Amino acid sequence: MSPSDLPVAEVLDRAAGPRRAEADELLAMLGEVSGERPVVWAGRIIGFGAYEYRYESGREGRAPLLAFAPGPAKHTIYLVDDFSERWPDLVAALGTHRASKVCLYLTRLTGVDRGALRTLLERSLAETRSQAR
């Protein structure tokens, strides 16, 4: 994955109606938590900061420290591996969501506890920074 020159607004506009305002809210929150400027990665992900990683297999690359992808049906927030197992109480406090190994899926931000979301972002960022090479 690599950064691109695509304008952030173009990616934000993929979320329509109320989700567009939510995308703006996520943009502001991730920017505040990371202290970094937004950059579009892989043509669809808005990332903040960057780090380099290397797996035991030898595969290496770059990725954003924090990132999200707004969309017409849901927002996808990319977090540290196994975030829901690391902080189950915090994930439970979020409200309505779905989760995978590294992705938090939010259909809407209504009903999502913003404090819990911010804390989850802060913890994920700290963990990612500690693992970066």
Side-chain angles (χ1 to χ4, degrees):
M1 187 162 51
S2 59
S4 71
D5 292 333
L6 191 66
V8 170
E10 193 171 312
V11 175
L12 290 171
D13 287 341
R14 293 178 186 161
R19 281 192 189 86
R20 179 58 170 84
E22 293 172 351
D24 287 334
E25 183 179 345
L26 289 170
L27 180 77
M29 186 182 292
L30 273 72
E32 289 169 12
V33 168
S34 69
E36 303 280 349
R37 290 187 22 221
V39 174
V40 176
W41 289 68
R44 63 179 191 80
I45 298 170
I46 300 173
F48 298 81
Y51 73 102
E52 294 182 4
Y53 61 86
R54 182 183 180 110
Y55 295 124
E56 289 180 17
S57 66
R59 182 173 170 232
E60 58 187 18
R62 280 181 69 205
L65 290 166
L66 280 179
F68 80 105
K74 67 182 176 294
H75 306 292
T76 303
I77 301 174
Y78 300 91
L79 300 167
V80 69
D81 283 348
D82 300 319
F83 69 93
S84 58
E85 293 174 14
R86 292 172 191 253
W87 309 296
D89 54 334
L90 192 54
V91 172
L94 280 172
T96 305
H97 72 280
R98 286 186 323 118
S100 68
K101 186 172 176 78
V102 297
C103 294
L104 174 66
Y105 304 102
L106 303 172
T107 303
R108 295 291 312 271
L109 291 186
T110 54
V112 171
D113 183 305
R114 303 306 199 277
L117 178 58
R118 183 179 197 89
T119 301
L120 187 59
L121 293 169
E122 290 167 348
R123 288 185 184 179
S124 180
L125 176 63
E127 187 64 26
T128 300
R129 283 184 170 147
S130 75
Q131 294 176 3
R133 58 174 195 122

